[in-house]
Amino acid sequence: MGISMIKRYIFGNPIETDAVLSKPEVCAWSNDRLCFRENALECELEEDEIVYGLGQNVRGINKRGWIYESNCTDDPQHTESKHSLYGAHNFVLLDGEKKLGIFVDTPSKVVFDIGYTDYNRMRIALQTPDFELYLIEGESLGGIIKEFRRLIGRSYIPPRWAFGYGQSRWGYRSAEDIREVVKNYRDNQIPLDSVYLDIDYMERYKDFTVNEETFPDFEKFVAEMKGQGIHLVPIIDGGVKEEAGYDVYEEGREKGYFCKDEDGKDFVLGVWPGRCCLPDMLNEEAGRWFGRKYKILLDQGIDGFWNDMNEPAIFYSERGLAEVFEKIDQYRNRNLDINSFFAFRDLAEHISNNPKDYASFYHNYKGKRYCHEDVHNLFGYYMTRSAAEAFDELSPEKRILLFSRASYIGMHRYGGIWQGDNNSWWSHLLLNIRMMPSLNMCGFLYTGADIGGFGADATEDLLIRWLSFGVFTPLMRNHSALGTRLQEAYQFGNIDLMRDVIGVRYKLLPYLYSEFMKAALRDEMMFKPLGFVYGDDRIAKHVEDQLLLGDEIMIAPVYEQNAVGRTVYFPEPMKLIRFRGGEVQEEEVYTKGYSYVDMALGDVCVFLKENHILPLADGGQSIAEVDFDHLKLHFYGDHVRPYEYYTDDGEGRDYDPDRFIKMLEA
Ligand code: MIG
């Protein structure tokens, strides 16, 4: 991998984020590539230089040509015109003559102009003069990533069952609804390991409550589902409902655990339940208190959670509401023309996630008071960290599933993320593919998108193609929004194809789990762009729709409507292994270069490198049925190297590569 060197610089008086675990000595600022002026780092980009990174954001694997923001945002329209999504991942990796990793550690907004204003320049502009900077030089991209990941600490590892297929939907209103989903899956013999509970399970959207009418005897219900091999995974929201007599609210208020407004009163924001307060997740004591609340559900047999709305999303504030009501009156009886009409229309829209609101409440973080806008990107991170640290105490032996919507670098130690409210669009399948390696660079290994798309109506072919990629992502969850077309795998005509495709996941599981664990334990990426391995191949370096998955295989998903195959670039000879109709077929070996590969709807194709081994299991209806010990090995070539297979009980926290790696020989 070559040698990498890391340097740390301090500008001004930065706010500690806890992104970095063990900090190297501080260096005096001087650099021949980057120049620092007017609160921005600037450099030239070479003609063919690739800029990787930024984790969760819009557009391609190569970030060049657009302007991005690190500013955790709840925006469900992930179009190319946007600049930020839910996470703030301030890491870029320059791949030019020299390779350079740059991590800007600051909890407030950062703007990355990566060849937007000028295609040959990059400018990283900070909201604050106070920040830490880490520069990592190295000979290889993978070496720099490893160094960066060592700096920020080992990635979160979920229980193995969380690698099974999960079904979710906003709108499962009762235990009966859930039973029906599970029954449909089981009756159709489509594998399933988990069902997600969205806000519908709560009593009037109150965190840590269960609606007793619609989900009577919850503990028994959780056990009943476990009996069928199903884990229920409830959602937890960032805001706590303001309601007299609701213990979480009352306690938080009495103990002073909520974020305060300018006058020291509890800051009130509107989210699902109407008026809410925000637990000060950044405050150690408040975070500890909030984290311990998960025990209420753990005690009822729950072993997984997803943390939502923690950018934090603000539908409205009292201030914002008052402002709109006041302004709206000024439009009464007016002739609304081109200027006034749009201003009028935007009034209500701009009430949500308004910068004025983010500037109007305060945290008590590491003993100091901070305005939220100065520490904005830490909220989701600390919410998830609070839960994870509680799990360390409450469940020291057994792993608990945890993933979040908002995140900052460092949160990858405590949980995974899902990719937020995408749409049932083909372009979002491609976005999902491209985001995987970018997230992996930043340590987020347990991740995936809402398969089939969250907003808008899914179609059968889109869902099948999305599942055909989703079988590879660690989080494999079909999720959709209230009011959209139902998109459980059994809702469409071709149930056989759905069963076959989801079934592929259960054959791949030993390989996927093994590759995930190795990536986590060795600070590596599970999904790599081709350029990370074939850096000398100019074509490979610019491929944006194929990925290397672990060290043995390449994938090249179909992401276009009505396609019956696609062109694949082979950076070296590879053998096609095709999953079709529940069978595994070894097909031809492709030589280096472009080839068109037929991929019918329902086919899952992987491309195996020469002299490498792909181990496959027989499959099963849930993870418990998968035999991780008796595997069929696929390989070709005369000098097949052994496969390092990581396997453990999938539950314990004593991850030990020496104990759990077996060599599989051809
Ligand atoms: O603003 O809980 O991203 O997965 O279904 C919508 C309802 C709130 C956003 C999450 C989505 C979830 C939805 N939530």
Side-chain angles (χ1 to χ4, degrees), residues 6-43:
I6 194 152
K7 285 195 166 164
R8 169 171 171 234
Y9 307 92
I10 293 188
F11 293 78
N13 184 20
I15 301 172
E16 178 58 58
T17 65
D18 285 6
V20 171
L21 281 183
S22 56
K23 300 194 169 194
E25 287 296 300
V26 181
C27 304
W29 173 246
S30 91
N31 194 272
D32 43 19
R33 179 96 205 255
L34 291 173
C35 131
F36 181 69
R37 61 164 176 251
E38 292 167 16
N39 268 2
L41 292 156
E42 287 185 338
C43 73

mmCIF file of all heavy atoms in Angstrom, residues 6-43:
data_model
loop_
_atom_site.group_PDB
_atom_site.id
_atom_site.type_symbol
_atom_site.label_atom_id
_atom_site.label_comp_id
_atom_site.label_asym_id
_atom_site.label_seq_id
_atom_site.Cartn_x
_atom_site.Cartn_y
_atom_site.Cartn_z
ATOM 1 N N ILE A 6 0.491 11.629 7.974
ATOM 2 C CA ILE A 6 -0.622 12.474 8.366
ATOM 3 C C ILE A 6 -0.109 13.689 9.121
ATOM 4 O O ILE A 6 0.807 13.586 9.926
ATOM 5 C CB ILE A 6 -1.585 11.625 9.226
ATOM 6 C CG1 ILE A 6 -2.914 12.300 9.396
ATOM 7 C CG2 ILE A 6 -1.025 11.296 10.565
ATOM 8 C CD1 ILE A 6 -4.006 11.294 9.603
ATOM 9 N N LYS A 7 -0.670 14.840 8.800
ATOM 10 C CA LYS A 7 -0.271 16.057 9.504
ATOM 11 C C LYS A 7 -1.496 16.794 10.016
ATOM 12 O O LYS A 7 -2.515 16.870 9.335
ATOM 13 C CB LYS A 7 0.509 16.973 8.564
ATOM 14 C CG LYS A 7 1.910 16.471 8.327
ATOM 15 C CD LYS A 7 2.758 17.545 7.723
ATOM 16 C CE LYS A 7 4.220 17.170 7.814
ATOM 17 N NZ LYS A 7 5.040 17.990 6.911
ATOM 18 N N ARG A 8 -1.343 17.327 11.211
ATOM 19 C CA ARG A 8 -2.471 18.015 11.848
ATOM 20 C C ARG A 8 -2.126 19.486 12.048
ATOM 21 O O ARG A 8 -1.020 19.819 12.475
ATOM 22 C CB ARG A 8 -2.722 17.344 13.194
ATOM 23 C CG ARG A 8 -3.673 18.084 14.103
ATOM 24 C CD ARG A 8 -4.023 17.239 15.315
ATOM 25 N NE ARG A 8 -4.760 18.023 16.285
ATOM 26 C CZ ARG A 8 -4.417 18.156 17.551
ATOM 27 N NH1 ARG A 8 -3.338 17.546 18.019
ATOM 28 N NH2 ARG A 8 -5.153 18.890 18.362
ATOM 29 N N TYR A 9 -3.093 20.341 11.742
ATOM 30 C CA TYR A 9 -2.904 21.791 11.895
ATOM 31 C C TYR A 9 -4.087 22.361 12.652
ATOM 32 O O TYR A 9 -5.219 21.880 12.507
ATOM 33 C CB TYR A 9 -2.826 22.477 10.532
ATOM 34 C CG TYR A 9 -1.798 21.879 9.612
ATOM 35 C CD1 TYR A 9 -2.164 20.865 8.723
ATOM 36 C CD2 TYR A 9 -0.473 22.303 9.632
ATOM 37 C CE1 TYR A 9 -1.227 20.295 7.874
ATOM 38 C CE2 TYR A 9 0.473 21.741 8.785
ATOM 39 C CZ TYR A 9 0.091 20.734 7.908
ATOM 40 O OH TYR A 9 1.015 20.168 7.073
ATOM 41 N N ILE A 10 -3.821 23.389 13.432
ATOM 42 C CA ILE A 10 -4.913 24.062 14.136
ATOM 43 C C ILE A 10 -4.986 25.508 13.687
ATOM 44 O O ILE A 10 -3.972 26.197 13.638
ATOM 45 C CB ILE A 10 -4.710 23.994 15.664
ATOM 46 C CG1 ILE A 10 -4.841 22.540 16.128
ATOM 47 C CG2 ILE A 10 -5.709 24.883 16.382
ATOM 48 C CD1 ILE A 10 -4.851 22.361 17.619
ATOM 49 N N PHE A 11 -6.184 25.940 13.330
ATOM 50 C CA PHE A 11 -6.421 27.335 12.970
ATOM 51 C C PHE A 11 -7.343 27.928 14.028
ATOM 52 O O PHE A 11 -8.427 27.394 14.273
ATOM 53 C CB PHE A 11 -7.072 27.439 11.592
ATOM 54 C CG PHE A 11 -6.167 26.996 10.479
ATOM 55 C CD1 PHE A 11 -5.960 25.648 10.215
ATOM 56 C CD2 PHE A 11 -5.497 27.929 9.700
ATOM 57 C CE1 PHE A 11 -5.111 25.236 9.193
ATOM 58 C CE2 PHE A 11 -4.648 27.522 8.675
ATOM 59 C CZ PHE A 11 -4.454 26.175 8.426
ATOM 60 N N GLY A 12 -6.918 29.015 14.645
ATOM 61 C CA GLY A 12 -7.747 29.676 15.651
ATOM 62 C C GLY A 12 -7.976 28.784 16.854
ATOM 63 O O GLY A 12 -7.087 28.043 17.281
ATOM 64 N N ASN A 13 -9.211 28.801 17.318
ATOM 65 C CA ASN A 13 -9.546 28.099 18.544
ATOM 66 C C ASN A 13 -10.744 27.182 18.295
ATOM 67 O O ASN A 13 -11.876 27.512 18.627
ATOM 68 C CB ASN A 13 -9.856 29.170 19.611
ATOM 69 C CG ASN A 13 -10.127 28.544 20.949
ATOM 70 O OD1 ASN A 13 -9.748 27.394 21.199
ATOM 71 N ND2 ASN A 13 -10.809 29.285 21.805
ATOM 72 N N PRO A 14 -10.508 26.037 17.672
ATOM 73 C CA PRO A 14 -11.619 25.206 17.186
ATOM 74 C C PRO A 14 -12.462 24.568 18.286
ATOM 75 O O PRO A 14 -11.977 24.325 19.386
ATOM 76 C CB PRO A 14 -10.926 24.126 16.366
ATOM 77 C CG PRO A 14 -9.481 24.251 16.582
ATOM 78 C CD PRO A 14 -9.193 25.472 17.359
ATOM 79 N N ILE A 15 -13.699 24.284 17.920
ATOM 80 C CA ILE A 15 -14.597 23.538 18.804
ATOM 81 C C ILE A 15 -14.298 22.049 18.607
ATOM 82 O O ILE A 15 -14.279 21.568 17.477
ATOM 83 C CB ILE A 15 -16.074 23.805 18.429
ATOM 84 C CG1 ILE A 15 -16.388 25.303 18.532
ATOM 85 C CG2 ILE A 15 -17.006 22.984 19.304
ATOM 86 C CD1 ILE A 15 -17.774 25.679 17.994
ATOM 87 N N GLU A 16 -14.099 21.345 19.686
ATOM 88 C CA GLU A 16 -13.803 19.910 19.600
ATOM 89 C C GLU A 16 -15.040 19.159 19.106
ATOM 90 O O GLU A 16 -16.132 19.359 19.615
ATOM 91 C CB GLU A 16 -13.394 19.411 20.989
ATOM 92 C CG GLU A 16 -13.104 17.932 21.059
ATOM 93 C CD GLU A 16 -12.005 17.507 20.096
ATOM 94 O OE1 GLU A 16 -10.887 18.036 20.201
ATOM 95 O OE2 GLU A 16 -12.281 16.658 19.221
ATOM 96 N N THR A 17 -14.855 18.294 18.119
ATOM 97 C CA THR A 17 -15.995 17.517 17.603
ATOM 98 C C THR A 17 -15.973 16.060 18.042
ATOM 99 O O THR A 17 -16.967 15.357 17.883
ATOM 100 C CB THR A 17 -15.990 17.501 16.062
ATOM 101 O OG1 THR A 17 -14.818 16.807 15.629
ATOM 102 C CG2 THR A 17 -16.010 18.904 15.481
ATOM 103 N N ASP A 18 -14.827 15.590 18.516
ATOM 104 C CA ASP A 18 -14.641 14.163 18.812
ATOM 105 C C ASP A 18 -14.693 13.298 17.548
ATOM 106 O O ASP A 18 -15.012 12.118 17.624
ATOM 107 C CB ASP A 18 -15.687 13.639 19.808
ATOM 108 C CG ASP A 18 -15.398 14.089 21.236
ATOM 109 O OD1 ASP A 18 -14.459 14.888 21.437
ATOM 110 O OD2 ASP A 18 -16.122 13.645 22.136
ATOM 111 N N ALA A 19 -14.402 13.887 16.408
ATOM 112 C CA ALA A 19 -14.324 13.067 15.191
ATOM 113 C C ALA A 19 -13.064 12.218 15.241
ATOM 114 O O ALA A 19 -13.060 11.057 14.842
ATOM 115 C CB ALA A 19 -14.298 13.951 13.951
ATOM 116 N N VAL A 20 -11.988 12.821 15.746
ATOM 117 C CA VAL A 20 -10.690 12.157 15.754
ATOM 118 C C VAL A 20 -10.419 11.585 17.135
ATOM 119 O O VAL A 20 -10.620 12.262 18.148
ATOM 120 C CB VAL A 20 -9.583 13.164 15.364
ATOM 121 C CG1 VAL A 20 -8.204 12.569 15.586
ATOM 122 C CG2 VAL A 20 -9.766 13.574 13.907
ATOM 123 N N LEU A 21 -9.944 10.335 17.163
ATOM 124 C CA LEU A 21 -9.736 9.687 18.450
ATOM 125 C C LEU A 21 -8.360 9.980 19.041
ATOM 126 O O LEU A 21 -8.237 10.469 20.154
ATOM 127 C CB LEU A 21 -9.918 8.180 18.303
ATOM 128 C CG LEU A 21 -11.364 7.713 18.258
ATOM 129 C CD1 LEU A 21 -11.415 6.203 18.179
ATOM 130 C CD2 LEU A 21 -12.131 8.203 19.477
ATOM 131 N N SER A 22 -7.321 9.663 18.283
ATOM 132 C CA SER A 22 -5.987 9.908 18.834
ATOM 133 C C SER A 22 -5.296 10.916 17.930
ATOM 134 O O SER A 22 -5.077 10.664 16.747
ATOM 135 C CB SER A 22 -5.188 8.615 18.908
ATOM 136 O OG SER A 22 -5.138 8.020 17.641
ATOM 137 N N LYS A 23 -5.007 12.067 18.498
ATOM 138 C CA LYS A 23 -4.547 13.177 17.664
ATOM 139 C C LYS A 23 -3.032 13.233 17.555
ATOM 140 O O LYS A 23 -2.345 13.193 18.568
ATOM 141 C CB LYS A 23 -5.057 14.482 18.261
ATOM 142 C CG LYS A 23 -6.569 14.537 18.324
ATOM 143 C CD LYS A 23 -7.038 15.933 18.588
ATOM 144 C CE LYS A 23 -8.545 16.004 18.362
ATOM 145 N NZ LYS A 23 -8.998 17.379 18.286
ATOM 146 N N PRO A 24 -2.542 13.358 16.335
ATOM 147 C CA PRO A 24 -1.093 13.544 16.166
ATOM 148 C C PRO A 24 -0.668 14.934 16.668
ATOM 149 O O PRO A 24 -1.513 15.797 16.897
ATOM 150 C CB PRO A 24 -0.885 13.441 14.660
ATOM 151 C CG PRO A 24 -2.212 13.229 14.035
ATOM 152 C CD PRO A 24 -3.269 13.336 15.079
ATOM 153 N N GLU A 25 0.625 15.118 16.829
ATOM 154 C CA GLU A 25 1.178 16.429 17.210
ATOM 155 C C GLU A 25 0.743 17.494 16.210
ATOM 156 O O GLU A 25 0.562 17.212 15.033
ATOM 157 C CB GLU A 25 2.710 16.360 17.167
ATOM 158 C CG GLU A 25 3.333 15.559 18.298
ATOM 159 C CD GLU A 25 3.072 16.195 19.643
ATOM 160 O OE1 GLU A 25 3.510 17.352 19.815
ATOM 161 O OE2 GLU A 25 2.418 15.560 20.503
ATOM 162 N N VAL A 26 0.620 18.723 16.691
ATOM 163 C CA VAL A 26 0.234 19.824 15.799
ATOM 164 C C VAL A 26 1.463 20.322 15.030
ATOM 165 O O VAL A 26 2.544 20.463 15.598
ATOM 166 C CB VAL A 26 -0.364 20.989 16.607
ATOM 167 C CG1 VAL A 26 -0.778 22.124 15.679
ATOM 168 C CG2 VAL A 26 -1.540 20.509 17.429
ATOM 169 N N CYS A 27 1.298 20.575 13.737
ATOM 170 C CA CYS A 27 2.385 21.121 12.919
ATOM 171 C C CYS A 27 2.147 22.610 12.680
ATOM 172 O O CYS A 27 1.012 23.069 12.691
ATOM 173 C CB CYS A 27 2.426 20.442 11.554
ATOM 174 S SG CYS A 27 2.566 18.673 11.633
ATOM 175 N N ALA A 28 3.212 23.318 12.428
ATOM 176 C CA ALA A 28 3.084 24.729 12.030
ATOM 177 C C ALA A 28 2.584 24.759 10.590
ATOM 178 O O ALA A 28 2.990 23.935 9.772
ATOM 179 C CB ALA A 28 4.432 25.423 12.141
ATOM 180 N N TRP A 29 1.699 25.706 10.289
ATOM 181 C CA TRP A 29 1.085 25.716 8.963
ATOM 182 C C TRP A 29 2.055 26.136 7.862
ATOM 183 O O TRP A 29 2.671 27.194 7.933
ATOM 184 C CB TRP A 29 -0.136 26.630 8.949
ATOM 185 C CG TRP A 29 -0.687 26.795 7.557
ATOM 186 C CD1 TRP A 29 -0.727 27.925 6.805
ATOM 187 C CD2 TRP A 29 -1.261 25.757 6.740
ATOM 188 N NE1 TRP A 29 -1.289 27.669 5.582
ATOM 189 C CE2 TRP A 29 -1.632 26.334 5.504
ATOM 190 C CE3 TRP A 29 -1.490 24.369 6.936
ATOM 191 C CZ2 TRP A 29 -2.211 25.605 4.480
ATOM 192 C CZ3 TRP A 29 -2.075 23.655 5.903
ATOM 193 C CH2 TRP A 29 -2.429 24.269 4.693
ATOM 194 N N SER A 30 2.183 25.294 6.906
ATOM 195 C CA SER A 30 2.864 25.638 5.666
ATOM 196 C C SER A 30 2.574 24.493 4.713
ATOM 197 O O SER A 30 2.498 23.334 5.127
ATOM 198 C CB SER A 30 4.376 25.776 5.871
ATOM 199 O OG SER A 30 5.017 24.541 5.638
ATOM 200 N N ASN A 31 2.288 24.813 3.475
ATOM 201 C CA ASN A 31 1.964 23.751 2.540
ATOM 202 C C ASN A 31 2.219 24.224 1.122
ATOM 203 O O ASN A 31 1.902 25.365 0.784
ATOM 204 C CB ASN A 31 0.493 23.351 2.707
ATOM 205 C CG ASN A 31 0.189 22.034 2.017
ATOM 206 O OD1 ASN A 31 -0.140 22.015 0.836
ATOM 207 N ND2 ASN A 31 0.330 20.937 2.735
ATOM 208 N N ASP A 32 2.798 23.355 0.305
ATOM 209 C CA ASP A 32 3.099 23.813 -1.055
ATOM 210 C C ASP A 32 1.933 23.608 -2.012
ATOM 211 O O ASP A 32 1.928 24.133 -3.112
ATOM 212 C CB ASP A 32 4.384 23.168 -1.597
ATOM 213 C CG ASP A 32 4.448 21.698 -1.266
ATOM 214 O OD1 ASP A 32 3.378 21.126 -0.951
ATOM 215 O OD2 ASP A 32 5.547 21.121 -1.299
ATOM 216 N N ARG A 33 0.922 22.881 -1.575
ATOM 217 C CA ARG A 33 -0.223 22.665 -2.461
ATOM 218 C C ARG A 33 -1.405 23.570 -2.099
ATOM 219 O O ARG A 33 -2.009 24.211 -2.952
ATOM 220 C CB ARG A 33 -0.655 21.197 -2.354
ATOM 221 C CG ARG A 33 -1.847 20.801 -3.185
ATOM 222 C CD ARG A 33 -1.437 20.181 -4.498
ATOM 223 N NE ARG A 33 -2.471 20.318 -5.517
ATOM 224 C CZ ARG A 33 -3.262 19.328 -5.914
ATOM 225 N NH1 ARG A 33 -3.132 18.127 -5.399
ATOM 226 N NH2 ARG A 33 -4.176 19.534 -6.842
ATOM 227 N N LEU A 34 -1.738 23.613 -0.822
ATOM 228 C CA LEU A 34 -2.915 24.362 -0.372
ATOM 229 C C LEU A 34 -2.518 25.726 0.160
ATOM 230 O O LEU A 34 -1.531 25.858 0.874
ATOM 231 C CB LEU A 34 -3.607 23.621 0.772
ATOM 232 C CG LEU A 34 -4.302 22.311 0.472
ATOM 233 C CD1 LEU A 34 -4.755 21.668 1.759
ATOM 234 C CD2 LEU A 34 -5.501 22.539 -0.435
ATOM 235 N N CYS A 35 -3.348 26.696 -0.183
ATOM 236 C CA CYS A 35 -3.089 28.018 0.366
ATOM 237 C C CYS A 35 -4.301 28.413 1.204
ATOM 238 O O CYS A 35 -5.442 28.070 0.868
ATOM 239 C CB CYS A 35 -2.790 28.940 -0.803
ATOM 240 S SG CYS A 35 -3.666 30.447 -0.824
ATOM 241 N N PHE A 36 -4.068 29.059 2.326
ATOM 242 C CA PHE A 36 -5.166 29.448 3.209
ATOM 243 C C PHE A 36 -5.332 30.963 3.206
ATOM 244 O O PHE A 36 -4.411 31.693 3.555
ATOM 245 C CB PHE A 36 -4.893 28.963 4.639
ATOM 246 C CG PHE A 36 -6.001 29.315 5.596
ATOM 247 C CD1 PHE A 36 -7.240 28.705 5.497
ATOM 248 C CD2 PHE A 36 -5.810 30.273 6.579
ATOM 249 C CE1 PHE A 36 -8.275 29.039 6.368
ATOM 250 C CE2 PHE A 36 -6.843 30.606 7.465
ATOM 251 C CZ PHE A 36 -8.073 29.983 7.345
ATOM 252 N N ARG A 37 -6.476 31.432 2.756
ATOM 253 C CA ARG A 37 -6.760 32.867 2.848
ATOM 254 C C ARG A 37 -8.269 33.096 2.906
ATOM 255 O O ARG A 37 -9.046 32.341 2.330
ATOM 256 C CB ARG A 37 -6.104 33.638 1.705
ATOM 257 C CG ARG A 37 -6.568 33.250 0.331
ATOM 258 C CD ARG A 37 -6.173 34.299 -0.702
ATOM 259 N NE ARG A 37 -6.559 33.836 -2.001
ATOM 260 C CZ ARG A 37 -5.700 33.429 -2.942
ATOM 261 N NH1 ARG A 37 -4.404 33.469 -2.730
ATOM 262 N NH2 ARG A 37 -6.144 33.008 -4.103
ATOM 263 N N GLU A 38 -8.630 34.157 3.610
ATOM 264 C CA GLU A 38 -10.044 34.528 3.793
ATOM 265 C C GLU A 38 -10.904 33.327 4.179
ATOM 266 O O GLU A 38 -11.908 33.022 3.533
ATOM 267 C CB GLU A 38 -10.575 35.161 2.508
ATOM 268 C CG GLU A 38 -9.955 36.506 2.228
ATOM 269 C CD GLU A 38 -10.261 36.976 0.804
ATOM 270 O OE1 GLU A 38 -11.176 36.406 0.196
ATOM 271 O OE2 GLU A 38 -9.568 37.879 0.343
ATOM 272 N N ASN A 39 -10.488 32.659 5.237
ATOM 273 C CA ASN A 39 -11.255 31.514 5.737
ATOM 274 C C ASN A 39 -11.496 30.419 4.706
ATOM 275 O O ASN A 39 -12.529 29.742 4.752
ATOM 276 C CB ASN A 39 -12.618 31.972 6.273
ATOM 277 C CG ASN A 39 -12.555 32.268 7.747
ATOM 278 O OD1 ASN A 39 -11.476 32.156 8.348
ATOM 279 N ND2 ASN A 39 -13.662 32.647 8.325
ATOM 280 N N ALA A 40 -10.577 30.279 3.779
ATOM 281 C CA ALA A 40 -10.755 29.216 2.792
ATOM 282 C C ALA A 40 -9.417 28.585 2.435
ATOM 283 O O ALA A 40 -8.385 29.251 2.420
ATOM 284 C CB ALA A 40 -11.421 29.772 1.539
ATOM 285 N N LEU A 41 -9.483 27.288 2.160
ATOM 286 C CA LEU A 41 -8.305 26.570 1.658
ATOM 287 C C LEU A 41 -8.471 26.461 0.150
ATOM 288 O O LEU A 41 -9.548 26.090 -0.335
ATOM 289 C CB LEU A 41 -8.253 25.170 2.267
ATOM 290 C CG LEU A 41 -7.984 25.112 3.764
ATOM 291 C CD1 LEU A 41 -8.520 23.810 4.337
ATOM 292 C CD2 LEU A 41 -6.488 25.247 4.047
ATOM 293 N N GLU A 42 -7.406 26.775 -0.569
ATOM 294 C CA GLU A 42 -7.518 26.772 -2.021
ATOM 295 C C GLU A 42 -6.379 26.001 -2.656
ATOM 296 O O GLU A 42 -5.266 25.990 -2.128
ATOM 297 C CB GLU A 42 -7.458 28.202 -2.558
ATOM 298 C CG GLU A 42 -8.718 28.994 -2.287
ATOM 299 C CD GLU A 42 -8.657 30.370 -2.936
ATOM 300 O OE1 GLU A 42 -7.544 30.860 -3.210
ATOM 301 O OE2 GLU A 42 -9.715 30.945 -3.157
ATOM 302 N N CYS A 43 -6.675 25.387 -3.793
ATOM 303 C CA CYS A 43 -5.584 24.798 -4.568
ATOM 304 C C CYS A 43 -5.996 24.646 -6.015
ATOM 305 O O CYS A 43 -7.174 24.716 -6.367
ATOM 306 C CB CYS A 43 -5.138 23.465 -3.982
ATOM 307 S SG CYS A 43 -6.281 22.120 -4.238
#
